[in-house]
Amino acid sequence: MSRDTTRPRRADARRNVDALLDAARAVFDTSGVDAPAKEITDLAGVGVGTLYRHFPQRADLVKAVVESGIDAVADAAGPLREAHEPPEALDLWIHRFAELLATKRGLASALHSGDPAFAGLPGYFTGRLRPILSELLIAAGVREDIDAEDVLHAITQLSQPVPGRGPEHGRRMVGVFIDGLRASP
Amino acid sequence: MSRDTTRPRRADARRNVDALLDAARAVFDTSGVDAPAKEITDLAGVGVGTLYRHFPQRADLVKAVVESGIDAVADAAGPLREAHEPPEALDLWIHRFAELLATKRGLASALHSGDPAFAGLPGYFTGRLRPILSELLIAAGVREDIDAEDVLHAITQLSQPVPGRGPEHGRRMVGVFIDGLRASP
Amino acid sequence: MSRDTTRPRRADARRNVDALLDAARAVFDTSGVDAPAKEITDLAGVGVGTLYRHFPQRADLVKAVVESGIDAVADAAGPLREAHEPPEALDLWIHRFAELLATKRGLASALHSGDPAFAGLPGYFTGRLRPILSELLIAAGVREDIDAEDVLHAITQLSQPVPGRGPEHGRRMVGVFIDGLRASP
Amino acid sequence: MSRDTTRPRRADARRNVDALLDAARAVFDTSGVDAPAKEITDLAGVGVGTLYRHFPQRADLVKAVVESGIDAVADAAGPLREAHEPPEALDLWIHRFAELLATKRGLASALHSGDPAFAGLPGYFTGRLRPILSELLIAAGVREDIDAEDVLHAITQLSQPVPGRGPEHGRRMVGVFIDGLRASP
DNA sequence: GATGAATGAGAATTCATTCAT
DNA sequence: AATGAATGAATTCTCATTCAT
């Protein structure tokens, strides 16, 4: 069900790729997606050349870091639909999704930056999650004037942490938004 | 009631400051608040030195650009309350506010960046708008578990334009959120 | 005997020139002769334009500041020769001269910089002091293989304060040098 | 006995570092230690980035340039003492030292600038040379009221070239000073 | 395949000097 | 005459990306 990015076959190469991904995850959380490449390679204990070999474009790295998260969210939909009534399933899934965004500082801005450096990212994001959310929305019987992709973006934005307010903030705002989805147009 | 930033007295200086503010507004919209200073001065038809004379810190420029927008939104509240019923006034004001944010790309990120360069901006923003929104919310009789500052931030985020979706998008998402505010907790 | 720089006739202009000279003296002592012009005009409470009106070249200002000191040293020779035996007069005058240099931080480097910005300064300096020192040296009967201008420069250098050593340092080094002048070639 | 700064291991890197040091030496002589970095890198035929990689702080470069000179002077003492009588050894060593200073325009000012960018330089200078000079002074049996560090500074200053006078000038002034050291207090 | 050195295009900032008011 | 605004060249430093080892 999940991604199957081609990985290097040599053991040391694979090790480096993993180290880079781990480092990138950490650095993205700390300093955002615009962090200097050096910061990542230093943390990974690897030369910059190695980064560029495995991820020629900056977007490739971001994509790789992000995709696993997106996949996990996508995969969560099935179980939720089986275990809960549609309205509740929708609710839970959206919060699950929001949680991903909240912890990946910078993902949202990468998604919306329009920066060609991140080309491909929004496509993967939308392609993977829109169909799933679309079905959840229909099943839950909410208003039909709002399309799934719009909701995806809205939640992406609402779940961004605001400095000075706790993590609760995003959660509650998303809740209000879901209430709005249940209202009649 | 509106901004009254101390302006230079000499006519040419005032002209330059205005040109810089206009240019900054335009550039911020286009390239975000991190745009190179040169881009702004070129557009303003002014030397870089002039920018630094009037706005020694990057934040000073952003602040000046932003504050006029904030002030205009704040000032809009009075007339709206006089001309409309409370629920409608709330609705109109929030959209008015969202419109500001939508056209000022980067304002939202400056507000949330946590960057010390923009210290003071969030304070001005909140200080000016929270009291106004707070009254509007109470008058409109919406749910009371959501505080005005949270709404401010939520709208700020929702109104950000998403590349690939028209300006309609933000407007509609804000509409959904307002509907959510009207729902019972 | 002393300088007679043409001074402006209008009272306010004269006041400004004096303020600038005082400020320059202070700033040169503090930050050296390379200090930004603005620093001087701010201290003088005067616009930069005023500085450039009265001292079109940077050297003009330095010269003006310095010349009064040089003149005073030059003028000191006469009385010393009348009151003391030649060897002692030489000794006292050199120390008097060294004292000037020691308190005018940056004068020495301006003198030796070769920087065209200070054109004219060395000329005034040498023209005024060499003849005087020359006579003193001859009268004192010291070795004749060392010319007065060389001594001027040597004392200039030796009297420069060294960070971390007290003002005594310069005085003692100058003393050693004078002893050397008394030795046979 | 001499410097053993950790050098890069890669051949090209080492070549660049050497080129930079040579260029810096030349440029410092010509334009002083405040010369623009670009001037140095151009002369070295190297990108600016390379300079900053090897010498992140301006002081690092100055230090490297200076230390080799200091070390060479320090190392010269031994042979001189073996080959000459103490008074002559002192004489020769001081001139050797003066020669270093004379050709390294700007070294003296860096040493005395008090600029925090050059912190550490004076310490190295003094730490390395004072003990050596101290022994030479004692061995030569000169007056004992002048301490080695003072002599170090005095020679540093005296050996500075004066624009308009040949290199002879410094040499002769140093000679006079040494004669002064031989006089009785 | 890995490394990290080299490159150089930007970006920010300062300040001497000119000139409109 | 005084003022201080404007200019822009000059300088420092950073970092993405390439490429020799």
Side-chain angles (χ1 to χ4, degrees):
Chain A
M1 185 130 299
S2 299
R3 146 226 52 180
D4 189 36
T5 307
T6 330
R7 326 286 285 328
R9 58 219 96 189
R10 262 175 58 174
D12 57 343
R14 203 153 46 229
R15 236 189 340 270
N16 279 338
V17 168
D18 287 342
L20 279 168
L21 288 175
D22 286 347
R25 238 184 297 273
V27 169
F28 287 171
D29 286 2
T30 309
S31 322
V33 267
D34 289 330
K38 190 91 198 322
E39 204 175 321
I40 296 168
T41 57
D42 281 356
L43 185 59
V46 146
V48 270
T50 306
L51 170 62
Y52 281 91
R53 159 169 291 270
H54 295 296
F55 305 96
Q57 309 291 333
R58 187 183 221 88
D60 297 331
L61 178 60
V62 181
K63 238 179 97 192
V65 165
V66 158
E67 284 180 1
S68 63
I70 292 179
D71 287 331
V73 170
D75 294 348
L80 286 176
R81 295 177 74 171
E82 281 165 23
H84 302 273
E85 288 302 296
E88 206 178 354
L90 172 66
D91 200 90
L92 290 169
W93 188 84
I94 287 182
H95 278 290
R96 174 72 181 70
F97 169 56
E99 198 181 350
L100 166 71
L101 275 307
T103 51
K104 292 267 183 299
R105 195 149 121 62
L107 192 166
S109 51
L111 238 29
H112 296 159
S113 71
D115 187 328
F118 300 125
L121 239 195
Y124 187 83
F125 173 81
T126 308
R128 198 86 172 77
L129 301 182
R130 185 177 40 190
I132 291 169
L133 177 56
S134 195
E135 283 188 37
L136 286 169
L137 287 171
I138 289 166
V142 305
R143 61 203 278 183
E144 293 176 353
D145 62 328
I146 304 291
D147 107 26
E149 187 165 350
D150 284 341
V151 175
L152 237 29
H153 288 302
I155 302 298
T156 299
Q157 293 167 321
L158 279 181
S159 57
Q160 286 311 101
V162 172
R165 333 222 33 116
E168 257 314 295
H169 172 257
R171 218 154 20 240
R172 275 164 52 239
M173 294 305 105
V174 168
V176 171
F177 187 83
I178 295 178
D179 289 341
L181 283 178
R182 295 227 170 79
S184 43
Chain B
M1 185 128 297
S2 299
R3 151 229 47 194
D4 188 37
T5 310
T6 328
R7 329 283 288 325
R9 57 208 91 197
R10 261 176 57 177
D12 57 345
R14 201 154 45 226
R15 234 185 342 266
N16 279 336
V17 169
D18 287 342
L20 279 168
L21 287 175
D22 287 347
R25 241 184 293 272
V27 169
F28 288 172
D29 287 2
T30 308
S31 322
V33 267
D34 289 331
K38 191 87 198 325
E39 202 177 323
I40 295 169
T41 57
D42 281 355
L43 184 59
V46 143
V48 274
T50 305
L51 170 61
Y52 282 94
R53 161 173 285 267
H54 295 295
F55 305 98
Q57 310 289 335
R58 176 45 139 282
D60 296 331
L61 179 59
V62 180
K63 237 181 100 197
V65 164
V66 157
E67 286 183 1
S68 65
I70 292 178
D71 287 331
V73 170
D75 293 347
L80 286 176
R81 296 178 73 172
E82 281 165 24
H84 302 273
E85 290 300 297
E88 206 179 355
L90 171 66
D91 200 90
L92 290 169
W93 188 84
I94 287 183
H95 279 289
R96 173 74 180 71
F97 170 55
E99 198 182 351
L100 166 71
L101 275 307
T103 51
K104 295 265 184 300
R105 191 148 122 64
L107 192 166
S109 52
L111 238 28
H112 297 157
S113 72
D115 187 327
F118 299 126
L121 244 193
Y124 187 81
F125 173 82
T126 307
R128 199 88 169 73
L129 300 182
R130 183 176 43 188
I132 291 170
L133 177 55
S134 195
E135 285 188 36
L136 287 168
L137 288 171
I138 291 167
V142 305
R143 61 202 277 184
E144 293 176 354
D145 62 327
I146 304 292
D147 106 24
E149 188 165 351
D150 285 340
V151 175
L152 238 29
H153 288 301
I155 303 297
T156 299
Q157 294 167 320
L158 279 181
S159 56
Q160 285 312 100
V162 171
R165 339 255 342 151
E168 258 313 297
H169 171 257
R171 216 151 24 238
R172 275 164 50 239
M173 294 307 103
V174 168
V176 171
F177 188 83
I178 296 178
D179 288 341
L181 282 178
R182 294 227 170 80
S184 42
Chain C
M1 183 126 299
S2 299
R3 148 228 49 187
D4 189 35
T5 309
T6 330
R7 326 284 285 329
R9 57 219 97 189
R10 262 175 58 174
D12 57 343
R14 203 154 45 230
R15 237 189 337 271
N16 280 337
V17 169
D18 286 342
L20 280 168
L21 288 175
D22 286 347
R25 238 183 297 273
V27 168
F28 288 171
D29 286 2
T30 310
S31 323
V33 266
D34 289 330
K38 189 92 199 319
E39 204 176 320
I40 296 167
T41 58
D42 280 356
L43 185 60
V46 147
V48 271
T50 304
L51 170 61
Y52 281 91
R53 159 170 291 270
H54 295 295
F55 305 97
Q57 309 291 333
R58 180 152 261 74
D60 298 330
L61 178 60
V62 181
K63 240 180 95 192
V65 164
V66 158
E67 285 180 0
S68 64
I70 293 179
D71 288 331
V73 171
D75 293 349
L80 286 176
R81 297 178 73 170
E82 282 165 23
H84 301 274
E85 289 301 297
E88 204 177 355
L90 172 66
D91 200 272
L92 289 169
W93 188 84
I94 287 183
H95 279 289
R96 172 72 179 72
F97 169 55
E99 199 181 351
L100 166 71
L101 275 307
T103 51
K104 292 269 182 298
R105 194 151 121 64
L107 194 166
S109 50
L111 238 29
H112 296 158
S113 71
D115 188 327
F118 300 123
L121 240 195
Y124 186 83
F125 173 83
T126 307
R128 198 88 171 77
L129 300 182
R130 183 176 43 188
I132 292 171
L133 178 55
S134 195
E135 285 189 36
L136 287 170
L137 288 170
I138 291 166
V142 305
R143 62 201 279 183
E144 294 176 354
D145 62 327
I146 303 291
D147 104 23
E149 187 165 350
D150 284 342
V151 175
L152 238 28
H153 289 301
I155 303 297
T156 300
Q157 293 167 320
L158 279 180
S159 57
Q160 286 311 103
V162 172
R165 336 232 16 127
E168 257 315 295
H169 171 257
R171 222 162 6 247
R172 276 164 51 240
M173 294 307 105
V174 168
V176 172
F177 188 84
I178 295 176
D179 287 343
L181 283 177
R182 295 228 170 79
S184 43
Chain D
M1 184 126 299
S2 299
R3 147 228 48 188
D4 190 34
T5 310
T6 328
R7 326 284 286 330
R9 56 208 89 198
R10 261 174 58 175
D12 55 344
R14 201 155 45 227
R15 233 182 347 265
N16 279 335
V17 168
D18 286 343
L20 279 168
L21 286 175
D22 286 347
R25 241 184 293 273
V27 168
F28 288 171
D29 286 2
T30 309
S31 323
V33 266
D34 289 331
K38 191 88 197 327
E39 202 175 324
I40 296 168
T41 58
D42 281 355
L43 184 59
V46 142
V48 272
T50 305
L51 170 61
Y52 283 95
R53 160 174 284 269
H54 295 295
F55 305 98
Q57 309 290 334
R58 177 46 142 277
D60 296 331
L61 179 59
V62 180
K63 236 180 100 197
V65 164
V66 158
E67 287 183 0
S68 64
I70 293 179
D71 287 331
V73 170
D75 293 347
L80 286 176
R81 297 180 72 171
E82 282 164 23
H84 302 273
E85 289 301 295
E88 205 178 354
L90 172 66
D91 200 272
L92 289 169
W93 188 84
I94 287 184
H95 277 290
R96 173 72 180 73
F97 169 54
E99 198 181 350
L100 165 72
L101 274 308
T103 50
K104 296 264 184 299
R105 192 148 122 63
L107 193 165
S109 51
L111 237 30
H112 297 158
S113 71
D115 187 327
F118 300 126
L121 245 192
Y124 187 83
F125 173 83
T126 307
R128 199 87 170 74
L129 301 182
R130 184 177 39 190
I132 292 170
L133 177 56
S134 196
E135 284 190 35
L136 287 168
L137 288 170
I138 291 167
V142 306
R143 60 202 279 184
E144 293 177 352
D145 62 328
I146 303 291
D147 109 24
E149 186 165 351
D150 284 340
V151 175
L152 238 28
H153 289 300
I155 303 297
T156 300
Q157 293 168 320
L158 278 181
S159 56
Q160 285 314 102
V162 171
R165 337 238 6 134
E168 259 314 295
H169 171 257
R171 212 145 35 231
R172 277 165 50 240
M173 294 307 103
V174 169
V176 172
F177 188 84
I178 295 178
D179 288 342
L181 283 178
R182 294 225 171 80
S184 43

